[in-house]
């Protein structure tokens, strides 16, 4: 069967032997030898590691795979499934990065600020990913975005844009360019140190988006022509490249907290 010129035709004939096919009895009469030997033919078709992988699954999975294999747009179905799984992996990885960055910054704040200061970094949504709290008061906002393809730009939402504008000196965009990360643990990075070289922090985003505020404010107007849908603010790649690294951001964050909230800090040169 492997090199049989009529392999596809034979498979189509065997497919018509199924009881649920309209002319199954006719096909069995027209191709009696194929009908008698269909089991042997199918065994030959099942030869190989790929077939063994499928046949080693439980019966429920095999039935699902059979149903998928019979889909009229199989290639498109597989591609859409692979793309959806990849997006899910990237979203889960980004959530882990946010958590690790938050934990790291909290450790830095607790280490560098006076010991009697209650500092914490909390993961929150709707305008930012991380919020720095000093004595239960929100003082700084950080949005974390990851990029997985070189051609994919970084975008932020309406609420994130407005949050940056409302806090021009207290908002940072952290961009992680995973398109340049070659580690096999791309979706399961254990230590934030592994991706430090691919991180950039931009702390003046709020001063760059003022011209978009009126556009966002006048969107979704039910009684007039206006913008609608999930439109976002595109962040230029050149702007991101000009951002600072993690160490530079730590120093800036500590200085910001010290100058605006009267917090003393320890030496940050170590």
């Amino acid at each position: 069967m492997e090199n049989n010129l009529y392999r596809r035709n034979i498979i189509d004939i065997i497919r018509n032997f199924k009881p649920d096919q309209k002319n199954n009895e006719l096909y069995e009469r027209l191709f009696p030898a194929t009908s008698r030997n269909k089991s042997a033919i199918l065994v030959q078709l099942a030869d190989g590691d790929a077939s063994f992988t499928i046949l080693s699954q439980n019966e429920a999975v095999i039935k699902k795979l059979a149903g998928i294999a019979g889909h009229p747009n199989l290639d498109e179905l597989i591609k859409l499934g692979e793309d959806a799984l990849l997006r899910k992996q990237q979203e889960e990885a980004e959530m882990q990065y946010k958590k690790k960055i938050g934990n790291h910054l909290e450790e830095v704040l607790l280490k560098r600020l006076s010991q009697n200061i209650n500092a914490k970094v909390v993961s929150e949504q709707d305008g930012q990913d991380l919020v720095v709290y000093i004595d239960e008061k929100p003082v700084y906002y950080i949005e974390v975005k990851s990029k997985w393809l070189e051609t994919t730009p970084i975008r932020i939402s309406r609420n994130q844009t407005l949050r940056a504008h409302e806090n021009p000196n207290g908002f940072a965009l952290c961009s992680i360019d995973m398109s340049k990360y070659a580690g096999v643990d791309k979706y399961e990075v254990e230590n934030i140190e592994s991706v430090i070289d691919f991180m950039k922090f931009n702390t003046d985003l709020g001063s760059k988006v003022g011209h978009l505020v009126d556009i966002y404010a006048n969107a979704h107007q039910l009684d007039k022509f206006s913008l609608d849908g999930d439109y976002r603010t595109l962040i230029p790649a050149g702007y991101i490249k000009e951002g600072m690294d993690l160490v530079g951001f730590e120093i800036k964050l500590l200085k910001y907290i010290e100058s605006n909230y009267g917090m003393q800090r320890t030496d940050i040169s170590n």
Side-chain angles (χ1 to χ4, degrees):
M1 285 297 297
E2 183 177 354
N3 299 313
N4 194 306
L5 294 176
Y6 302 101
R7 173 190 173 100
R8 176 53 56 189
N9 302 86
I10 295 171
I11 293 173
D12 288 339
I13 291 170
I14 293 176
R15 183 179 290 113
N16 281 284
F17 291 155
K18 294 180 180 180
D20 59 348
Q21 296 299 310
K22 182 178 180 180
N23 298 314
N24 65 308
E25 294 182 359
L26 173 61
Y27 269 84
E28 288 180 350
R29 290 199 303 270
L30 290 173
F31 306 99
T34 306
S35 179
R36 289 194 304 271
N37 294 285
K38 64 181 180 181
S39 296
I41 294 171
L42 292 173
V43 168
Q44 292 183 50
L45 290 172
D47 188 25
D49 292 339
S51 298
F52 177 79
T53 300
I54 294 173
L55 294 174
S56 63
Q57 304 295 322
N58 63 55
E59 184 177 352
V61 173
I62 292 176
K63 287 182 178 180
K64 288 181 180 179
L65 292 173
I68 293 172
H71 196 280
N73 299 311
L74 179 59
D75 290 342
E76 183 179 3
L77 179 64
I78 292 175
K79 180 66 167 60
L80 291 173
E82 290 175 340
D83 291 345
L85 178 60
L86 182 60
R87 285 195 299 272
K88 183 174 182 292
Q89 290 177 318
Q90 292 173 352
E91 290 170 359
E92 291 176 347
E94 186 172 89
M95 290 299 295
Q96 289 300 313
Y97 298 150
K98 293 172 184 178
K99 181 178 179 181
K100 289 180 172 64
I101 292 171
N103 291 341
H104 174 82
L105 292 176
E106 185 170 297
E107 290 178 3
V108 170
L109 293 174
L110 293 175
K111 180 179 179 180
R112 303 300 188 185
L113 294 174
S114 301
Q115 295 299 311
N116 62 338
I117 298 301
N118 178 21
K120 62 181 179 181
V121 181
V122 179
S123 176
E124 297 182 7
Q125 296 300 309
D126 195 28
Q128 72 291 306
D129 289 312
L130 303 170
V131 181
V132 179
Y133 283 87
I134 299 295
D135 288 338
E136 305 301 325
K137 178 182 179 181
V139 301
Y140 206 93
Y141 304 92
I142 305 168
E143 176 62 25
V144 182
K145 295 292 183 183
S146 58
K147 174 180 177 178
W148 299 88
L149 293 174
E150 181 63 33
T151 56
T152 302
I154 295 290
R155 295 183 175 91
I156 61 174
S157 70
R158 169 188 181 276
N159 287 348
Q160 292 155 5
T161 303
L162 296 178
R163 177 76 78 187
H165 179 70
E166 293 164 358
N167 300 272
N169 298 314
F171 185 99
L173 172 65
C174 170
S175 305
I176 309 174
D177 189 354
M178 293 303 293
S179 67
K180 295 181 172 60
Y181 185 79
V184 295
D185 60 341
K186 176 176 286 190
Y187 301 115
E188 297 180 355
V189 173
E190 291 294 329
N191 301 310
I192 198 66
E193 288 77 10
S194 300
V195 295
I196 282 180
D197 293 339
F198 309 99
M199 298 170 61
K200 288 291 186 179
F201 288 84
N202 296 89
T203 59
D204 62 344
L205 185 64
S207 65
K208 307 292 185 181
V209 296
H211 63 292
L212 300 174
V213 173
D214 286 343
I215 297 175
Y216 279 121
N218 290 293
H220 303 290
Q221 301 291 324
L222 298 179
D223 58 345
K224 64 176 67 173
F225 290 96
S226 62
L227 290 176
D228 196 9
D230 186 26
Y231 53 95
R232 294 171 174 267
T233 300
L234 187 147
I235 310 299
Y239 170 74
I240 293 175
K241 290 180 180 179
E242 295 173 355
M244 61 187 67
D245 60 17
L246 177 59
V247 174
F249 175 68
E250 291 171 4
I251 295 173
K252 186 175 183 66
L253 177 60
L254 288 164
K255 288 182 176 179
Y256 174 81
I257 293 174
E258 179 190 36
S259 61
N260 287 276
Y261 300 96
M263 307 298 179
Q264 293 184 347
R265 55 187 170 88
T266 59
D267 179 32
I268 61 175
S269 62
N270 294 330

